[in-house]
Amino acid sequence: MFHVKQRGRIVVVGGGHAGLEAALAAARLGAETVLVTPDPAAIGAMSSNPAVGGLGKGHLVREVDAMGGALGRIADAAGIQFRLLNRRKGPAVQGPRAQCDRALFAAAAQAEVTRAGLTVVSGEVVDIDVSAARVAGVTLADGTHLTAAAVVLTTGTFLGGVIHLGHRQIAAGRMGEAAATRLAGRLREAAFAVGRLKTGTPPRLDGRTIDYAGLQPQPGDDDPVFLSHETEVPAAGQVPCHITHTAPATHDVIRAHLAESAMVRGEISGPGPRYCPSIEDKISRFGDKDSHQIFLEPEGLTTDLVYPNGISTSLSEETQAAFIRTIPGLERAEIARPGYAIEYDYVDPRSLDHRLAHREIAGLYLAGQINGTTGYEEAAAQGLVAGANAALSLAGREPLGIDRATGYLGVMIDDLVTQGVTEPYRMFTSRAEYRLHLRIDNADQRLRPMAEAIGLAPRSPAFAAKQAALEGARTTLRALSLSPTEAGRLGIPVNADGQRRDGMTLLALPDVTLATLVPAAPMLATLAPALGAIIETEARYATYLDRQKEEIRRLAAEEAETLLTDLDFASVAGLSAELRAKLAARRPATLAEARRIEGMTPAALVLLLALARGRPGRRSA
Amino acid sequence: MASRDDTIFALATPPGVAGVAVIRVSGPEAVRSLALAPGPLPAPRLATLRWLEDAGDRLDQALVLRFAAPDSFTGEDVVEFHTHGGRAVVQSVLRALGSLGLRPAEPGEFTWRAHANGRLDLTAVEALGDLLHAETDRQRQQAISGVSGRVATLSEGWRDTLVEARALVEITLDWADEDVPEDTAPAVRTRLTGALDRIAGALAGGPVAERIRGGFEVALVGAPNAGKSTLLNALAGREVALATAVAGTTRDVLEVALDLDGLAVTLVDMAGLRAGGDLVERLGIDRATARADAADLRLFLHAPDAPLPEAARRLARPDDLHLATKADLAAVSTGDLAVSGATGLGLDALSSRIAAILGERAAAAGPVGHARQIGHLREAADAIRAAIETLETDPPEIVSEHIREALRALERLTGRAGPEAVLGAVFSRFCLGK
């Protein structure tokens, strides 16, 4: 047993995507950081599907990347197939996705640990030491105490994890890895608002037993778009995925064995997500659909394992084997590892503030699935925020300020801490009010300057050059002033209204590109195509962005109406008992935060505003 | 900072001598006011006769009513004292309530609390105001429909349709990689045009609803000495004059507010219209012309000795009435109706004609009749139109932006933000997820 006493140490509990990103962020900000995990060799494991990114998720990875985070770099290093989703739709709703080689992914993650010089301690945290409502350290299973000024909890599915496989129930955090059962018990004892959630994973197939001949291949993009702003070429060999579908016979087998499903038997208390239900859920809930799509995703270049995305299940191993073989291409497929459902504890994220810090226990931060989210990207993004805020707080500095108008990260954290979760929370672009502004092409412009300024991301000369080039192009375009006749000469038809138009205005017109304007402003020809595309996007969305900017400004003005911190919500008359209870539970720091509480009425906001301003509310009927 | 954890009281009936006065108490400590009416706690919603006492002094004998939260007007505990309506009685009860530590209510505070407690949405609050000011049957009917939440109910329906439309757009964006319909545009269009039709219908009935609430304006137009004032006074004398005539904007305008068959109607008699005159007079005439032009109906007065000037004739519209005035003086020459303010000839017929014409228009009244409500509804309609337009020309994320704006306008209409229901609509409709 050893005691380490040092001021200002941050202990990160958990070595998943949230834990890794939290530890790296804290270390980048100069904090002494220790990552504790039962199995250091498992850092960088992909518990679920071997892919990173997608819509909303790809946005989050870009934001993590813009702030010096590792997930984008790791995914790119391991990428064996890159696809930009929604390529044919607008730039605001395009998201990059990478199919990853598990081994390369883990190796790249481990390399990040080494590169950052992180201290990794092998052990199971069984308790969080709290003294006078402040974190003092953690206790490991072997009795070791690690003192800490801040603790970041990233327990993923390990907290009270129970695997359901047919009729069997196994206490585990991942198949074959012990659950954090004692810590879960301690958190419940300590009266944390703990709930249960469920997720699932499909069986892994032996690729050598799959007949790809009749299946539709899904190749990667010819001109790949990467998850990190800095990646330029794929590092690994590129392979396709394949698509198959469930058959009527598949549904018959599953229907006949529905009674095996832990969900159906009611043994799982936690709700699963509505958007990636198990195959048995899909079949019982959407009975009229006679086929469901399955993506056969290779788990890597050096393994034969294949991840059949779309058929997560908790049915028995025998039933899994039976229904798999009814699927075209999988008639002779062997299951290497069965799928299962896993149920785990999460802490109501409404007990956190926007720093992801616990409201009651100073120095305690929570990130990832423990906050009710699902997905590597959501976890990593929260990890970065929690780790950075822990380090900033210990240094007596301002927390990261990423609001809904600045990043998907801001949307996610705001949703979590103000609304809570009723199912595992996943990022969707439709959750963002400022979607047209929150794009993958400007994640660095939105977040990197702030991250560099506080030391979270290294100064990047390449980024500075990019910013300068973009600003130069914008200035040139704004300075451009063309009459309708002059525009006509460039092949741009505009109304002969005598109005002169600037370059940005012309660029917003259909079929006008930067190339169209080059004769009038030769400087534009020197702009790199990728940067040109950014400018074209800005012009294209300009009207909407202006409108949104105005909304953002209004929101910011509202944010400034900070509620009195000592406001006793429980005793505010004129509010419904329900609202009073919600306010008392969440203690919104600002009016804007209060506004997003479910069931909040404008009248109640008027009342809160009046209280904050210290004058009685007046209103005539 | 004043604590809001307080209980308020106020006289709910007009001050002055009356048979009965109602004093209302609302708030968490409302029951404490029953100290004035010693006896067992009255059952909720049951009138109880009690003596009111203050320090041994009998104030009055009153009916006492108790409402338990949330089943009350304000959603809080409420106690009402129905006392005799004398000034000294009311003052003594109010004084006693104040000495119990309760606070006199600010103007409108009961309604405001009802809104804050979710008992009334914004449109219902507005309708309640209308109901308190309603003087005619049609005003009352329209206000009652608003108080009962008609606009909020309609708005919910429009909102549901728009949420569905947005879900159908989002399905092609956030779930592009899934087994979802490639092109949802036709289904989106159906919903958008459906919502737009219904909102446009409500908007079309807006101006009429506004008229029912604020009163139709009927302008008397004629040359000086055509008999306008005589006619005005005669009509005012025969019909029920309303208490609250709309305040005139110019001094040379006479107004009389009447209840014509349940409709509030303001008769306006303006400066005579004629050419020439000095500058001040011409300004008056310009204003009169504009006002007459903006009125809902014009009565053109043709007198044998004061023919209608040409400028006035140009204001005539199909529904307008032409009256042969001073019918007692000369044979009827021009116009639809012969009237005489002096003898009362034709006045009943005139009233009926006006009521019939306006009544027909009033039948087209929509549910939304406040400028604020109409404004938000217009915003919603404009945003839906933009969404429909961009459905043809722009990528889906732009369409979605416009639908979101329409949804926000509806939230402003009722003052209630609904839950973010788009994801729910998506998941209930499509099987998603890998």
Side-chain angles (χ1 to χ4, degrees):
Chain A
M1 195 195 287
F2 66 96
H3 290 267
V4 187
K5 270 210 163 69
Q6 203 159 351
R7 292 175 70 89
R9 176 163 48 192
I10 296 173
V11 169
V12 175
V13 181
H17 307 278
L20 176 61
E21 217 62 76
L24 290 174
R28 287 202 297 283
L29 286 168
E32 187 207 338
T33 310
V34 176
L35 190 155
V36 187
T37 176
D39 182 5
I43 291 175
M46 303 180 102
S47 328
S48 183
N49 68 323
V52 172
L55 295 160
K57 290 166 168 280
H59 291 78
L60 282 174
V61 181
R62 278 283 174 99
E63 290 178 4
V64 166
D65 186 67
M67 290 187 284
L71 183 58
R73 287 196 298 273
I74 296 172
D76 284 346
I80 54 176
Q81 190 222 45
F82 292 93
R83 286 199 308 129
L84 181 66
L85 304 187
N86 278 345
R87 200 175 261 277
R88 284 176 302 164
K89 298 190 177 102
V93 290
Q94 294 176 349
R97 182 183 189 276
Q99 201 65 49
C100 295
D101 176 301
R102 276 183 200 282
L104 292 176
F105 189 96
Q110 297 277 348
E112 292 283 348
V113 173
T114 311
R115 196 163 70 97
L118 278 186
T119 306
V120 179
V121 169
S122 170
E124 182 198 348
V125 170
V126 295
D127 204 356
I128 298 160
D129 309 330
V130 176
S131 164
R134 166 163 278 288
V135 153
V138 297
T139 303
L140 306 189
D142 65 3
T144 306
H145 291 280
L146 279 177
T147 59
V151 170
V152 184
L153 269 188
T154 69
T155 50
T157 58
F158 281 68
L159 199 62
V162 173
I163 282 178
H164 296 261
L165 175 55
H167 290 284
R168 285 193 291 154
Q169 286 164 44
I170 309 148
R174 270 192 296 247
M175 191 57 99
E177 295 179 53
T181 308
R182 287 172 65 186
L183 182 60
R186 287 293 297 133
L187 292 185
R188 280 177 185 266
E189 280 164 32
F192 273 71
V194 174
R196 297 289 274 173
L197 288 174
K198 173 235 143 179
T199 186
T201 187
R204 307 302 200 273
L205 307 178
D206 181 342
R208 291 168 301 185
T209 61
I210 296 175
D211 178 10
Y212 289 107
L215 301 182
Q216 176 196 343
Q218 188 191 42
D221 292 342
D222 293 332
D223 51 340
V225 171
F226 301 98
L227 287 153
S228 167
H229 292 90
E230 283 154 31
T231 309
E232 283 165 2
V233 288
Q238 301 295 294
V239 295
C241 294
H242 286 82
I243 298 174
T244 183
H245 293 86
T246 58
T250 322
H251 294 211
D252 292 343
V253 173
I254 290 170
R255 273 196 204 99
H257 292 87
L258 269 184
E260 287 168 10
S261 161
M263 286 296 268
V264 172
R265 288 202 314 274
E267 276 163 19
I268 294 183
S269 50
R274 289 171 297 177
Y275 41 78
C276 57
S278 61
I279 186 66
E280 53 267 30
D281 277 354
K282 290 183 188 179
I283 286 168
S284 45
R285 279 175 43 200
F286 293 90
D288 52 331
K289 213 165 173 318
D290 53 13
S291 177
H292 295 275
Q293 191 171 245
I294 304 168
F295 291 83
L296 298 174
E297 304 177 353
E299 296 225 328
L301 300 174
T302 55
T303 171
D304 291 313
L305 286 182
V306 167
Y307 186 97
N309 205 345
I311 48 169
S312 118
T313 179
S314 68
L315 295 169
S316 72
E317 294 179 66
E318 298 72 34
T319 307
Q320 291 185 29
F323 85 68
I324 283 290
R325 294 191 168 188
T326 61
I327 296 167
L330 307 184
E331 292 86 351
R332 277 176 296 280
E334 294 290 343
I335 291 178
R337 261 174 29 209
Y340 55 83
I342 181 161
E343 204 188 4
Y344 54 94
D345 280 354
Y346 78 100
V347 174
D348 185 344
R350 288 172 297 188
S351 54
L352 308 179
D353 63 23
H354 280 84
R355 299 172 301 155
L356 293 180
H358 197 269
R359 292 180 193 269
E360 310 278 337
I361 302 167
L364 181 63
Y365 295 78
L366 274 65
Q369 268 170 308
I370 190 171
N371 290 340
T373 61
T374 174
Y376 310 143
E377 305 83 354
E378 287 84 351
Q382 290 171 67
L384 182 142
V385 168
N389 279 330
L392 290 167
S393 166
L394 292 187
R397 300 169 64 189
E398 286 291 304
L400 289 185
I402 306 172
D403 59 22
R404 301 183 74 93
T406 313
Y408 275 89
L409 243 170
V411 173
M412 172 172 65
I413 290 176
D414 188 58
D415 280 350
L416 290 174
V417 306
T418 63
Q419 309 288 326
V421 296
T422 49
E423 64 183 338
Y425 180 96
R426 197 196 124 167
M427 199 68 248
F428 291 112
T429 69
S430 50
R431 295 191 195 270
E433 298 86 338
Y434 309 112
R435 175 162 68 185
L436 299 183
H437 174 56
L438 306 183
R439 306 187 302 269
I440 56 165
D441 70 19
N442 67 4
D444 53 352
Q445 296 180 62
R446 288 184 275 121
L447 294 165
R448 182 135 201 145
M450 175 274 288
E452 287 188 0
I454 65 170
L456 186 56
R459 298 264 170 206
S460 160
F463 174 65
K466 175 180 174 179
Q467 288 283 73
L470 287 171
E471 205 39 53
R474 289 185 198 113
T475 309
T476 303
L477 285 165
R478 281 193 217 103
L480 212 56
S481 171
L482 299 183
S483 70
T485 318
E486 288 163 335
R489 262 183 238 130
L490 296 178
I492 309 171
V494 296
N495 286 344
D497 52 8
Q499 293 288 314
R500 303 190 75 83
R501 290 170 171 82
D502 76 3
M504 279 303 215
T505 311
L506 292 170
L507 202 49
L509 298 171
D511 303 323
V512 179
T513 65
L514 277 179
T516 322
L517 297 172
V518 164
M523 172 270 177
L524 296 173
T526 63
L527 198 63
L531 302 192
I534 294 176
I535 297 289
E536 285 170 358
T537 299
E538 286 176 6
R540 179 175 183 180
Y541 287 141
T543 6
Y544 300 95
L545 291 176
D546 286 348
R547 204 179 299 166
Q548 293 201 335
K549 257 186 209 148
E550 175 56 21
E551 205 181 309
I552 291 168
R553 196 195 56 73
R554 278 207 309 265
L555 184 78
E558 218 177 335
E559 292 273 5
E561 306 281 10
T562 304
L563 294 180
L564 294 186
T565 42
D566 59 353
L567 204 58
D568 182 6
F569 294 114
S571 68
V572 177
L575 292 177
S576 67
E578 190 196 350
L579 261 185
R580 266 207 299 273
K582 279 184 180 172
L583 284 165
R586 287 181 226 168
R587 270 165 286 162
T590 64
L591 196 67
E593 228 176 279
R595 189 163 60 82
R596 286 186 292 277
I597 290 177
E598 224 174 300
M600 179 56 73
T601 64
L605 285 172
V606 170
L607 173 57
L608 291 178
L609 183 65
L611 285 173
R613 288 177 177 169
R615 58 179 173 78
R618 264 173 203 280
R619 193 200 162 85
S620 59
Chain B
M1 188 178 63
S3 165
R4 306 295 302 189
D5 189 13
D6 54 1
T7 297
I8 55 173
F9 66 91
L11 178 65
T13 44
V17 182
V20 176
V22 176
I23 294 160
R24 191 190 260 162
V25 184
S26 177
E29 300 201 319
V31 169
R32 221 152 55 75
S33 66
L34 291 168
L36 262 60
L41 185 68
R45 296 162 172 265
L46 224 62
T48 314
L49 188 65
R50 289 278 168 85
W51 279 101
L52 304 188
E53 294 171 7
D54 182 29
D57 184 12
R58 278 197 165 178
L59 307 178
D60 190 16
Q61 194 174 30
L63 274 184
V64 176
L65 266 167
R66 178 170 80 88
F67 301 88
D71 300 320
S72 72
F73 171 66
T74 58
E76 303 173 329
D77 277 345
V78 167
V79 171
E80 284 181 6
F81 299 99
H82 297 213
T83 68
H84 293 101
R87 283 196 187 90
V89 172
V90 168
Q91 282 313 313
S92 68
V93 175
L94 292 178
R95 203 164 43 235
L97 288 171
S99 68
L100 287 174
L102 310 182
R103 176 172 69 76
E106 290 158 9
E109 200 173 358
F110 289 105
T111 307
W112 177 64
R113 287 190 174 197
H115 181 48
N117 290 329
R119 305 287 293 177
L120 297 171
D121 77 284
L122 275 186
T123 62
V125 168
E126 282 159 338
L128 185 63
D130 295 344
L131 187 62
L132 299 184
H133 293 111
E135 293 182 303
T136 71
D137 276 342
R138 289 302 304 262
Q139 287 178 329
R140 172 185 57 74
Q141 287 157 2
Q142 182 165 299
I144 280 290
S145 139
V147 171
S148 62
R150 180 167 175 220
V151 180
T153 308
L154 286 171
S155 178
E156 276 304 299
W158 301 329
R159 183 175 175 277
D160 288 349
T161 308
L162 291 174
V163 164
E164 263 189 51
R166 208 182 139 220
L168 285 164
V169 176
E170 292 301 334
I171 192 89
T172 67
L173 294 175
D174 267 335
W175 292 272
D177 219 19
E178 305 258 354
D179 236 353
V180 293
E182 185 79 354
D183 182 17
T184 57
V188 173
R189 182 175 297 105
T190 307
R191 280 159 185 79
L192 290 178
T193 49
L196 181 61
D197 284 352
R198 283 180 284 152
I199 290 175
L203 270 174
V208 174
E210 220 172 347
R211 286 296 191 281
I212 291 178
R213 192 167 60 82
F216 287 89
E217 197 160 287
V218 175
L220 274 58
V221 184
N225 199 30
K228 299 194 298 295
S229 298
T230 314
L231 181 63
L232 184 84
N233 289 332
L235 282 170
R238 298 169 68 90
E239 304 295 340
V240 181
L242 299 178
T244 52
V246 181
T249 48
T250 57
R251 248 171 272 156
D252 45 352
V253 170
L254 281 176
E255 297 182 348
V256 175
L258 301 175
D259 178 346
L260 289 186
D261 230 5
L263 290 172
V265 173
T266 304
L267 286 177
V268 192
D269 167 22
M270 285 162 296
L273 294 177
R274 60 165 177 185
D278 64 15
L279 179 66
V280 175
E281 199 170 343
R282 275 210 307 280
L283 283 176
I285 290 167
D286 287 348
R287 272 200 301 273
T289 310
R291 179 91 183 259
D293 196 38
D296 298 291
L297 190 69
R298 281 146 296 279
L299 308 183
F300 293 97
L301 278 66
H302 305 264
D305 52 347
L308 199 61
E310 191 48 41
R313 285 180 196 279
R314 285 199 291 272
L315 296 174
R317 270 173 255 166
D319 258 1
D320 291 347
L321 294 176
H322 291 270
L323 311 178
T325 51
K326 305 188 186 176
D328 52 322
L329 292 185
V332 175
S333 54
T334 339
D336 309 319
L337 265 174
V339 295
S340 165
T343 65
L345 174 75
L347 290 186
D348 283 340
L350 176 58
S351 297
S352 312
R353 286 289 292 276
I354 297 173
I357 293 168
L358 296 180
E360 196 179 321
R361 293 192 201 168
V368 173
H370 278 263
R372 186 195 70 82
Q373 298 172 8
I374 291 173
H376 292 316
L377 220 45
R378 283 219 181 97
E379 290 165 13
D382 288 347
I384 298 172
R385 272 188 212 101
I388 294 172
E389 244 170 68
T390 48
L391 208 49
E392 303 284 346
T393 55
D394 289 78
E397 72 270 20
I398 298 293
V399 178
S400 180
E401 215 54 51
H402 290 296
I403 304 177
R404 193 203 303 269
E405 200 177 324
L407 284 165
R408 269 200 304 264
L410 292 185
E411 283 176 6
R412 288 192 292 268
L413 170 69
T414 58
R416 293 230 165 109
E420 174 61 68
V422 171
L423 288 176
V426 167
F427 297 134
S428 65
R429 190 174 284 268
F430 297 98
C431 179
L432 295 165
K434 298 194 285 191

